[in-house]
């Protein structure tokens, strides 16, 4: 739309051009054209004017023309302005009415017809996969019944706002087809796992507590997912398939379900396990067990290693090798480690003495730039002394991104946190790594104590001597027999861990064992001098 200034400039240019044209016509007329026209028309001779009269004629003509143009010019300018204003009003009204026709009046999200039209346009080229998620709020009628329809409307608006705030991948389209249902379309190469992640993120938003009327409610939802073109190729059929998945999920008591025919049995099982594991983390089913680490010289407990266990409501206690790999592949390792440490730091307040907490850290987490900041935040939140925290890393963290690992280990050291090299002797670390990295402790892997071979024994002696000469503490893992413990103590190994001293146990059992042991535990910082 042109501005007022532009219109004024155009008007003045037209005005000036007209005057110049008139001036030139008058000039040509009186000095040249008039004589020719008179002669050609046989009108005799034109009036014999002197030059001053001719110029007066030219200027008078031009001036009259200028005066004659002022009023029509102003009128047309006003008319143009008015037209422009009306045109603008018309455009705004059209935009408003388009918006109203496409929008759900309550939530401001796309309404059903407009959502379906957009979905149809996405499916049309069939170039990319589009997943449709139908989110149905469970038992929403109860809110209307308990708090009234106004509160129910408010709840739907809040949920819509929260769903809108989820930063979903796949260029999301969000709509409300009606009632207590929402729909989200995601386009792109999204794996079933990506889709479950997205669905979980949306679900978490719905599950946030809501202030509703005079009460506070926590809602649940069921999400059905269907994928085009795998399951349907038209928008209508895709919506029907997603509704079908949602109803199936509800019948089976699940929260999220992808249309089964889209997935292989293995994929569906994998997706189900991932979903279950995520829930387990959310519900605090992954808990820390503690295994004592003792001083081999006097058998006092100096610290504990945190070992994750899944307290499965049906299967009972699940060992870590059954769920740690999936946790790692889902990228949930940082979250799980933080949860375990959080609980462990809280549990440790009840224990006598000041034993250290050793936590297993995977390569991926140690390579995370924010790793040390997260550890610092945990220490600060619990006012837990950094010297009582020990991170156990395995040798495979030393293979890749050594620079970041080195940086993070140095930072941990500056904070006062100790670092121990777990499963020592089974991986790739060389003397190069041991000399360069800030490592305080070596944990000799239990595989070295399997047989009573002379060769093995010599290797153990060598490792103990090497650790000691580098100023590191040495721990032997997996000690099950007294004989081995005595021999290792004699060989100069500082600490021991194994079933002989205690199996991994829950917090309460560790508490009892610490209380019943007569002597006071030592601190982790009691590294050999
Ligand atoms: P790890 O870090 O080497 O932990 C020591 C493992 O040896 C534990 O198995 C422990 O129960 C077992 N163990 C201890 N003493 C004895 C013994 O005397 N005899 C025998 N046969 N075994 C003994 P667990 O708890 O099943 O853990 C297995 C592995 O799972 C751990 O090996 C660790 O790599 C991983 N893991 C456990 N919890 C976590 C965790 O919170 N985070 C990470 N990243 N990994 C964990
Ligand atoms: Ca360990
Ligand atoms: Ca180990």
């Amino acid at each position: 739309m042109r501005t007022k200034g532009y219109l004024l400039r155009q008007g003045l240019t037209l005005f000036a051009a007209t005057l110049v044209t008139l001036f030139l016509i008058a000039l040509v007329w009186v000095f040249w054209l008039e004589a020719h026209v008179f002669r050609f028309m046989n009108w005799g001779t034109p009036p014999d004017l002197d030059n001053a009269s001719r110029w007066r004629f030219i200027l008078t003509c031009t001036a009259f023309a200028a005066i004659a143009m002022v009023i029509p010019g102003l009128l047309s300018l006003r008319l143009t302005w008015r037209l422009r204003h009306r045109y603008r009003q018309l455009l705004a009204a059209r935009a408003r009415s388009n918006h109203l026709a496409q929008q759900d009046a309550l939530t401001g999200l796309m309404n059903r017809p407009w959502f379906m039209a957009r979905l149809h346009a996405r499916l049309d080229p069939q170039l990319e996969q589009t997943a449709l998620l139908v989110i149905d709020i469970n038992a929403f009628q109860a809110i209307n019944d308990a708090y009234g329809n106004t509160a129910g409307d408010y709840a739907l608006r809040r949920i819509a706002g929260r769903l809108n705030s989820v930063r979903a991948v796949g260029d999301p389209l969000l709509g409300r087809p009606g009632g207590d249902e929402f729909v989200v379309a995601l386009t792109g190469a999204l794996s079933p796992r990506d889709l479950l992640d997205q669905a979980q993120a949306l679900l978490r938003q719905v599950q946030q507590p809501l202030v509703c009327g005079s009460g506070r409610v926590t809602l649940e939802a069921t999400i059905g997912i269907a994928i085009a073109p795998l399951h349907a190729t038209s928008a209508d059929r895709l919506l029907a398939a997603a509704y079908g998945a949602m109803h199936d999920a509800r019948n089976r008591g699940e929260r999220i379900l992808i249309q089964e025919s889209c997935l292989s049995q293995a994929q569906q099982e994998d997706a189900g396990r991932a979903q279950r594991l995520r829930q387990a983390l959310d519900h605090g089913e992954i808990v820390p067990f503690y295994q004592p680490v003792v001083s081999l010289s006097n058998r006092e407990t100096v610290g504990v290693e945190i070992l994750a266990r899944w307290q499965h409501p049906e299967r009972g206690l699940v060992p870590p090798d059954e769920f740690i790999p999936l946790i790692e592949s889902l990228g949930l390792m940082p979250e799980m480690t933080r949860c375990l440490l959080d609980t462990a730091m809280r549990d440790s307040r009840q224990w006598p003495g000041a034993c250290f907490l050793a936590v297993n850290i995977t390569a991926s987490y140690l390579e995370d730039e924010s790793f040390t900041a997260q550890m610092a935040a945990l220490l600060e939140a619990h006012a837990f002394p950094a010297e009582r925290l020990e991170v156990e890393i395995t040798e495979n963290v030393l293979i890749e991104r050594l620079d970041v690992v080195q940086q993070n280990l140095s930072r941990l050291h500056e904070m006062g946190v100790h670092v121990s090299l777990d499963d020592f002797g089974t991986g790739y670390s060389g003397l190069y790594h041991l000399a360069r990295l800030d490592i305080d402790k070596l944990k000799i892997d239990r595989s070295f104590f399997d047989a009573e071979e002379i060769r093995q024994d010599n290797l153990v002696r060598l490792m103990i001597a090497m650790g000691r000469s580098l100023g590191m503490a040495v721990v032997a893992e997996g000690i099950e027999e007294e004989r081995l413990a005595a021999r290792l103590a004699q060989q100069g190994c500082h600490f021991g861990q194994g079933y002989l001293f205690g199996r991994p146990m829950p917090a309460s059992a560790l508490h009892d064992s610490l209380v019943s042991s007569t002597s006071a535990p030592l601190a982790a910082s009691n590294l050999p001098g």
Side-chain angles (χ1 to χ4, degrees):
M1 181 65 66
R2 305 294 192 184
T3 60
K4 241 178 190 180
Y6 173 83
L7 285 176
L8 206 63
R9 264 198 314 279
Q10 292 295 311
L12 285 176
T13 311
L14 193 70
F15 182 68
T18 314
L19 286 191
V20 169
T21 313
L22 256 164
F23 174 83
L24 289 176
I25 290 171
L27 191 75
V28 171
W29 176 257
V30 290
F31 283 108
W32 181 70
L33 200 58
E34 189 183 33
H36 289 290
V37 171
F38 269 66
R39 202 174 317 123
F40 182 74
M41 300 296 284
N42 268 336
W43 288 344
T45 47
D48 187 18
L49 298 175
D50 58 7
N51 274 355
S53 305
R54 283 184 171 147
W55 278 110
R56 215 173 19 252
F57 172 78
I58 294 167
L59 292 178
T60 312
C61 277
T62 314
F64 280 169
I67 293 163
M69 276 191 320
V70 167
I71 291 174
L74 285 178
L75 285 176
S76 66
L77 213 58
R78 206 174 78 142
L79 189 70
T80 314
W81 278 333
R82 281 198 174 169
L83 279 175
R84 195 182 60 138
H85 181 65
R86 286 278 154 82
Y87 181 62
R88 275 187 169 172
Q89 281 180 330
L90 199 72
L91 283 183
R94 200 178 63 179
R96 256 198 317 276
S97 81
N98 277 350
H99 199 55
L100 283 176
Q102 297 162 359
Q103 209 183 36
D104 165 45
L106 181 66
T107 60
L109 299 180
M110 280 184 232
N111 59 18
R112 186 189 177 101
W114 183 233
F115 180 87
M116 292 308 281
R118 296 278 304 270
L119 181 63
H120 177 74
R122 277 198 182 193
L123 300 188
D124 198 23
Q126 298 278 333
L127 293 176
E128 280 196 291
Q129 169 190 294
T130 292
L132 182 64
L133 288 76
V134 170
I135 307 166
D136 186 62
I137 312 291
N138 299 352
F140 190 78
Q141 189 52 37
I143 300 234
N144 284 331
D145 295 344
Y147 303 103
N149 285 353
T150 312
D153 286 353
Y154 169 77
L156 287 173
R157 271 199 300 271
R158 285 301 307 270
I159 294 169
R162 286 177 184 174
L163 293 178
N164 218 356
S165 72
V166 173
R167 275 201 271 133
V169 291
D171 189 14
L173 275 185
L174 176 61
R176 176 177 171 247
D180 55 2
E181 285 160 6
F182 296 87
V183 275
V184 182
L186 303 171
T187 300
L190 297 167
S191 68
R193 187 159 290 163
D194 294 332
L195 290 175
L196 286 170
D197 282 346
Q198 294 296 320
Q200 279 287 352
L202 294 164
L203 200 58
R204 272 198 290 276
Q205 290 303 321
V206 177
Q207 290 166 334
Q208 303 264 335
L210 259 178
V211 177
C212 203
S214 54
R216 203 174 148 82
V217 292
T218 304
L219 293 170
E220 285 293 343
T222 309
I223 302 184
I225 306 172
I227 303 163
L230 271 174
H231 198 259
T233 47
S234 74
D236 285 335
R237 281 172 180 258
L238 187 64
L239 185 68
Y243 269 108
M246 189 267 289
H247 289 302
D248 285 351
R250 182 156 288 173
N251 292 339
R252 294 187 201 176
E254 287 176 25
R255 299 231 184 94
I256 303 168
L257 189 79
I258 302 183
Q259 259 295 342
E260 277 173 28
S261 53
C262 307
L263 303 174
S264 69
Q265 178 80 13
Q267 275 177 319
Q268 184 76 28
E269 277 173 13
D270 217 28
R273 257 204 306 275
Q275 189 191 341
R276 184 65 197 87
L277 199 50
R278 211 174 290 260
Q279 269 174 20
L281 252 188
D282 288 348
H283 296 171
E285 291 173 15
I286 313 273
V287 294
F289 266 44
Y290 306 95
Q291 186 176 33
V293 177
V294 303
S295 159
L296 284 179
S297 57
N298 57 16
R299 305 296 166 93
E300 283 169 2
T301 301
V302 292
V304 291
E305 177 175 359
I306 300 171
L307 292 161
R309 296 289 182 270
W310 180 0
Q311 266 172 341
H312 198 285
E314 288 120 39
R315 291 171 59 199
L317 216 55
V318 180
D321 46 344
E322 285 187 33
F323 63 91
I324 293 268
L326 194 53
I327 288 262
E328 175 79 339
S329 72
L330 289 171
L332 293 172
M333 196 50 93
E335 195 180 329
M336 185 194 85
T337 309
R338 282 197 306 271
C339 283
L340 291 175
L341 268 174
D342 192 56
T343 313
M345 286 181 183
R346 216 170 315 118
D347 286 346
S348 72
R349 284 195 212 130
Q350 314 296 324
W351 303 334
C355 59
F356 67 82
L357 284 178
V359 64
N360 291 286
I361 301 294
T362 51
S364 62
Y365 196 16
L366 193 65
E367 285 166 8
D368 191 328
E369 313 265 347
S370 66
F371 168 68
T372 48
Q374 292 182 12
M375 291 299 117
L378 269 167
L379 290 170
E380 197 187 329
H382 291 274
F384 191 87
E387 314 74 58
R388 285 178 56 199
L389 178 65
E390 191 169 293
V391 299
E392 292 193 5
I393 59 172
T394 52
E395 292 168 283
N396 61 1
V397 306
L398 308 175
I399 304 170
E400 283 175 56
R401 302 201 61 195
L402 194 61
D403 48 335
V404 187
V405 168
Q406 200 161 11
Q407 209 174 46
N408 276 345
L409 292 183
S410 304
R411 271 194 218 140
L412 284 176
H413 241 234
E414 282 160 21
M415 284 157 56
V417 175
H418 293 124
V419 178
S420 69
L421 192 55
D422 204 0
D423 304 342
F424 183 63
T426 59
Y428 300 93
S429 65
L431 295 175
Y432 171 86
H433 293 120
L434 287 184
R436 298 230 171 175
L437 295 170
D438 287 320
I439 293 168
D440 307 290
K441 213 181 235 183
L442 293 184
K443 291 188 88 170
I444 304 177
D445 191 67
R446 84 176 121 94
S447 58
F448 288 94
F449 312 122
D450 277 353
E452 284 203 26
E453 277 181 39
I454 300 292
R455 237 169 79 87
Q456 292 270 46
D457 193 46
N458 284 341
L459 264 178
V460 172
R461 277 175 200 276
L462 197 70
M463 285 191 271
I464 296 173
M466 189 177 70
R468 290 187 72 107
S469 67
L470 288 169
M472 297 174 186
V474 183
V475 189
E477 285 191 292
I479 304 180
E480 296 183 0
E481 290 172 19
E482 181 53 49
R483 229 155 35 108
L484 177 62
R487 199 175 73 222
L488 285 165
Q490 192 239 323
Q491 288 170 348
C493 182
H494 304 100
F495 305 110
Q497 183 180 346
Y499 294 168
L500 177 66
F501 313 112
R503 286 180 177 254
M505 56 188 106
S508 55
L510 181 76
H511 173 264
D512 296 348
S513 120
L514 288 175
V515 168
S516 68
S517 72
T518 45
S519 42
L522 302 173
S525 49
N526 286 355
L527 297 171

